[in-house]
Amino acid sequence: MIIPKLAIRNMLGAGAKTWLNAAVLSMAYVTIIWAQGLYNGFDAEVSRTMIDAEYGGGQYWVEGYDPYDPFTLQDAHAVPAAPLQIRIDAGKATPILIVQGTIYPGGRILPILLKGIEPGQSLLSIPTGALGTSGADIPALVGSRMAKTGGLAARDTVTVRWRDARGAFDARDLQIVEVMKTIAQSIDEGQVWLPIATLREMAAMPGQATIVVTAKDSAPTAAVPGWSFQSLGVLLKDIMDIVKGKTVGASVLYAILLFLAALAILNTQLLSIWRRRKEIGTMMALGVTRGRVIGLFTFEGALNGVFAAIVGALWGIPLLAYFAVHGLSFGANQGDSFGIAMSDKMYPAYSAALVLGTTVLVFLITTIISYLPARKIGKLNPTDALQGRMT
Amino acid sequence: MENGTIIRTTDLVKIYPMGEQSITALQDVNLTFGRGEFAGLVGPSGSGKTTLLNILGSLDAPTRGSAEVLGLRVEALPHKKAAELRNRHIGFIFQTFNLLPVYTVFENVEFPLLLLGMATAARRKAVMDALEWVHLADRAKSRPNQLSGGQSQRVAIARAVVKKPELVLADEPTANLDAENSHHILHTMENINRELRTTFLFSTHDDKVIGHLRRKITLVDGRVAKDEPGAGR
C-alpha cells in the first residue's frame, strides 16, 4: 500500500499543478458524458415519439403490405382477422387503412397517402378527434409539413382523387379541419388523415384496414392468418440505424476528446519524469526499487483520472443536471434536417452505465498513458538520475 | 568478513567508456572499513571519491574487482537486492541535500521508514527522535523550500540516520554550507557516530570536514595514495 500512499502524497503535495491537470482532464470527461448523454436522450426521445405517434406496441401488417413500395397498396387491404378485431373492439388496437391518392392544391398535383383512422382512437398521439366533430363531408387532418408543402390551412378545401378497390378513379373535395403540429415526420409529410369509415366508403373497402396498431405494452397475439406482426424492434430499426449513424459523429468527438486528454496526460508525465529525475535518483538511493518507482509514477498519472472525476463531478453534475432538466435548444424544426422525429429541445439522458463506463475508460487510458513514459525509469541509472541526467 | 568489518574492496576497478576511449575512475582500490569508523575519502575533483562512494552504496557496479558491503558483494547484487541493501542498511547524504520537494520535513525523514513498512506509532517516534538529534523537531511541518541550506542538510542527515543504518555515505555534505553550518553538521554527525556506532564515510575536499575525520584516505587519479589517521577525535 506504500505506492498509493506516496502517489497521493505527491499529487496533493504538488498542489495547484495537480488540480490544474485535473481541471483540464475533467473538461474532456464531462464533455464526453454530456455529448453521449445528448445522443442517448436523442435516441430515447425518437423512440418514444415514434411509439406514441405511429408504432404503439407494434403493428400488424396485412399480407403483401410494404411501406417502401407504394404499388403494394393496391392490394394491401383486408378485413382484420378475428383476433385483431377482438382487440380493436376492446380498444387495445386501432386499424388504419392506407390508400394512394392525389390532391390538387392551387392547381398543383401532389401525390399523397390517404390514411383512414378512427376519430375516437386514443392509442396514437394524433389529434384525430377533430375528424369526428367537424361536420364536413370529408374532414381531413394534415400535419404542418404537409400543410406547408401543399399551401394548405385549416378550413381549406382541396380536391382529392383516388382509385377504389374496383380500379375506378373518383374525385371529391375534402376539407382540412385541423393542421396538427408533430415532430414525427412519418405521420405528416405526404399524408392526409381521414376518418376510416369515410375512406373505407370512398375506396369501396368496407371494414378493411392495411395495418392494425396495437396498444403500447400489449403482448402480440399468436400468429394471425393473413397478417404479420411487426415488433417495435423491427419498426424502430431504420430510425435506430439513422441515430446510430449520427452517433458515429459523436464517437469521433469522443475519440478526439479522449486523444486530447491522453496527450495532456502524456505530456504531464514526460515533463514530470524529466523534471523529477533527481527525485527519482534520490528515491532509488533511499531504497525504492525501479519497479516501485515506475509503479509510483504510473499511479500518480492514473490519479489524474480520479481527480478529474472528482473535479468533473463538482462542476459537471450541476451543469449536466441543468441540461437534463431544461434541455438544449437546437432551434425550431432542426429535427427535420436529421430526417427523424426530433423535437426543438433535446434532453440529455445520462445512465449509470454511461457515467461508470466513461470513468473506467478515462481511468484506463490515463493509467496506460502514464505507464508508457514511466517505463523509461526502468532504464535509468541511479547515479545519473542523482546528478539530474537521463540515460 | 571478520568481526567488525563492514566494507572491503578488493582490486576494485571502475572504467567509464567515453565513445571509443575510456576513463579509469578507480584503479586497484583495496580498502577495509570497520564498524563505527568516521572516515573520509579526500582528493581533488575527478580523483574517484564519488565513484567509490556510489559503488559502496550499491548505486553503481565496479568494472572489475570486488566490493563487499555488510557481507554482500555489490557487483553481484540484482537491482532489487541492491535497493533492499540501501533501504535497510545504508543512509545517504548528498551535497545538494536531495530532499523530496513536495514533502514536509517530517515526511522526508519518514520516507525510508515507510519503505521499511514500520508501524505508524513507531515510525512517528523514530522520525521525531531523528529530528531531535538534528534540532529540527520544531520544523517538522515545514517544506524544504522554507528551510536554509544548513537546515536542509540537517534534515538530510535525519533522513539518513532515522532507520539507524550501519553505514552512512556522505558525498560532499558541506560543499553548499557556510563555516558555521558546516561545523554544526559535522558535530551532529560525530554525535550520531558515537551514540549509534554508525559508520560514516565521507567524500570531501573540504578542510573543515577533513579536520573532523578520524581516518583520511587520499585518492589520486583513482588510486589510494595515502591511508592515514585523521585529526578528528
Side-chain angles (χ1 to χ4, degrees):
Chain A
M1 287 306 286
I2 180 84
I3 295 297
K5 188 172 184 168
L6 291 177
I8 291 168
R9 190 178 273 186
N10 285 346
M11 293 291 281
L12 294 179
K17 194 166 64 66
T18 297
W19 296 111
L20 195 65
N21 274 336
V24 170
L25 189 58
S26 76
M27 284 179 202
Y29 176 63
V30 172
T31 309
I32 286 168
I33 292 176
W34 176 79
Q36 288 301 112
L38 201 59
Y39 274 88
N40 283 353
F42 181 47
D43 191 345
E45 184 177 346
V46 169
S47 303
R48 196 171 49 243
T49 302
M50 295 309 295
I51 288 167
D52 288 349
E54 192 175 7
Y55 297 148
Q59 296 178 343
Y60 283 92
W61 291 359
V62 73
E63 209 164 71
Y65 171 63
D66 179 354
Y68 299 111
D69 182 2
F71 293 110
T72 60
L73 288 173
Q74 188 63 38
D75 302 314
H77 48 87
V79 173
L84 296 181
Q85 193 56 54
I86 292 168
R87 295 178 75 159
I88 292 167
D89 293 343
K92 297 284 183 192
T94 190
I96 293 174
L97 176 64
I98 308 172
V99 174
Q100 263 193 300
T102 309
I103 57 171
Y104 300 88
R108 290 188 295 137
I109 301 172
L110 273 182
I112 51 143
L113 289 178
L114 292 167
K115 287 190 170 178
I117 189 167
E118 292 285 358
Q121 68 79 31
S122 58
L123 297 186
L124 300 177
S125 62
I126 302 174
T128 50
L131 295 173
T133 56
S134 74
D137 195 17
I138 304 180
L141 175 70
V142 293
S144 53
R145 295 172 190 81
M146 178 68 219
K148 194 177 171 191
T149 308
L152 300 168
R155 288 191 291 280
D156 281 359
T157 300
V158 65
T159 302
V160 62
R161 180 175 173 267
W162 73 96
R163 197 169 90 154
D164 68 18
R166 293 180 293 270
F169 284 94
D170 198 354
R172 282 166 78 180
D173 284 347
L174 56 77
Q175 188 184 20
I176 308 295
V177 294
E178 186 174 329
V179 175
M180 64 176 170
K181 187 154 174 53
T182 173
I183 58 169
Q185 295 169 63
S186 57
I187 60 164
D188 179 341
E189 207 93 68
Q191 295 171 41
V192 175
W193 294 84
L194 308 177
I196 192 166
T198 308
L199 187 59
R200 279 171 174 165
E201 186 201 328
M202 286 161 63
M205 296 173 187
Q208 296 185 26
T210 305
I211 60 176
V212 175
V213 182
T214 62
K216 274 189 279 184
D217 307 322
S218 62
T221 312
V224 179
W227 296 77
S228 63
F229 183 70
Q230 309 294 320
S231 68
L232 286 177
V234 173
L235 294 169
L236 288 167
K237 187 179 176 302
D238 289 349
I239 291 160
M240 289 303 112
D241 285 348
I242 294 173
V243 172
K244 233 180 240 170
K246 304 288 179 199
T247 312
V248 170
S251 301
V252 171
L253 176 72
Y254 196 115
I256 290 171
L257 284 170
L258 274 182
F259 175 74
L260 289 177
L263 208 63
I265 297 291
L266 183 70
N267 185 48
T268 304
Q269 281 295 93
L270 285 171
L271 197 68
S272 178
I273 290 167
W274 171 256
R275 202 172 40 79
R276 292 168 63 188
R277 56 203 186 281
K278 202 165 173 180
E279 193 181 322
I280 293 169
T282 305
M283 284 184 191
M284 287 176 169
L286 293 176
V288 184
T289 61
R290 287 175 181 182
R292 272 185 158 183
V293 180
I294 292 172
L296 178 64
F297 274 74
T298 305
F299 204 91
E300 281 183 25
L303 276 179
N304 279 307
V306 176
F307 287 168
I310 294 168
V311 173
L314 287 178
W315 68 268
I317 288 175
L319 190 75
L320 296 179
Y322 174 85
F323 282 120
V325 173
H326 298 284
L328 183 71
S329 177
F330 284 93
N333 294 326
Q334 282 300 304
D336 287 3
S337 61
F338 277 74
I340 47 180
M342 179 180 149
S343 64
D344 297 342
K345 261 193 172 181
M346 292 301 304
Y347 293 87
Y350 318 108
S351 62
L354 170 65
V355 175
L356 206 67
T358 308
T359 307
V360 169
L361 189 67
V362 169
F363 184 74
L364 273 180
I365 286 179
T366 49
T367 305
I368 292 166
I369 290 295
S370 304
Y371 171 70
L372 296 176
R375 284 183 313 169
K376 200 175 168 64
I377 296 167
K379 293 173 188 160
L380 202 58
N381 186 329
T383 53
D384 285 337
L386 276 169
Q387 290 171 36
R389 290 197 301 252
M390 295 292 275
T391 42
Chain B
M1 255 184 197
E2 6 358 301
N3 250 354
T5 301
I6 64 166
I7 296 173
R8 169 176 290 135
T9 67
T10 310
D11 301 329
L12 196 69
V13 175
K14 180 68 184 180
I15 299 169
Y16 289 109
M18 299 286 280
E20 287 180 6
Q21 296 188 328
S22 58
I23 292 175
T24 303
L26 293 173
Q27 184 69 52
D28 299 325
V29 175
N30 292 287
L31 288 168
T32 304
F33 295 94
R35 189 173 300 276
E37 281 204 45
F38 201 77
L41 305 168
V42 301
S45 291
S47 59
K49 307 185 297 287
T50 299
T51 302
L52 181 55
L53 226 53
N54 284 340
I55 291 173
L56 297 179
S58 73
L59 291 169
D60 206 350
T63 309
R64 283 197 303 276
S66 168
E68 207 172 335
V69 178
L70 296 161
L72 297 168
R73 292 167 72 98
V74 170
E75 66 275 14
L77 279 183
H79 286 309
K80 259 192 175 172
K81 288 280 175 198
E84 197 181 318
L85 171 67
R86 292 194 293 270
N87 181 214
R88 293 189 180 281
H89 304 291
I90 303 174
F92 286 90
I93 299 168
F94 305 99
Q95 179 180 341
T96 50
F97 325 133
N98 289 37
L99 299 181
L100 301 170
V102 299
Y103 292 0
T104 61
V105 164
F106 184 93
E107 288 166 347
N108 263 286
V109 179
E110 185 191 29
F111 191 89
L113 304 182
L114 278 175
L115 297 177
L116 286 171
M118 189 183 274
T120 309
R123 200 168 67 221
R124 181 166 289 275
K125 185 179 180 316
V127 172
M128 291 315 291
D129 285 350
L131 288 174
E132 291 287 351
W133 294 333
V134 296
H135 307 294
L136 278 176
D138 58 332
R139 302 304 302 267
K141 289 181 180 165
S142 301
R143 298 215 178 249
N145 60 6
Q146 298 169 314
L147 303 176
S148 68
Q151 287 172 326
S152 295
Q153 196 60 299
R154 275 148 62 197
V155 175
I157 292 169
R159 183 178 66 183
V161 299
V162 68
K163 61 193 175 190
K164 297 185 179 160
E166 282 92 337
L167 173 65
V168 170
L169 301 171
D171 188 8
E172 308 276 9
T174 57
N176 283 336
L177 303 179
D178 57 30
E180 192 187 335
N181 271 311
S182 298
H183 173 75
H184 195 137
I185 286 206
L186 287 162
H187 192 65
T188 303
M189 288 195 275
E190 278 179 328
N191 284 343
I192 292 168
N193 166 254
R194 268 194 293 270
E195 282 180 31
L196 304 178
R197 284 210 72 215
T198 305
T199 303
F200 276 79
L201 182 56
F202 295 86
S203 143
T204 186
H205 55 259
D206 181 349
D207 288 337
K208 298 188 290 289
V209 178
I210 294 169
H212 283 259
L213 298 176
R214 293 203 290 272
R215 181 183 171 191
K216 187 173 85 172
I217 296 142
T218 308
L219 291 179
V220 177
D221 294 335
R223 292 176 187 275
V224 178
K226 247 191 254 176
D227 187 350
E228 58 193 333
R233 288 167 289 141

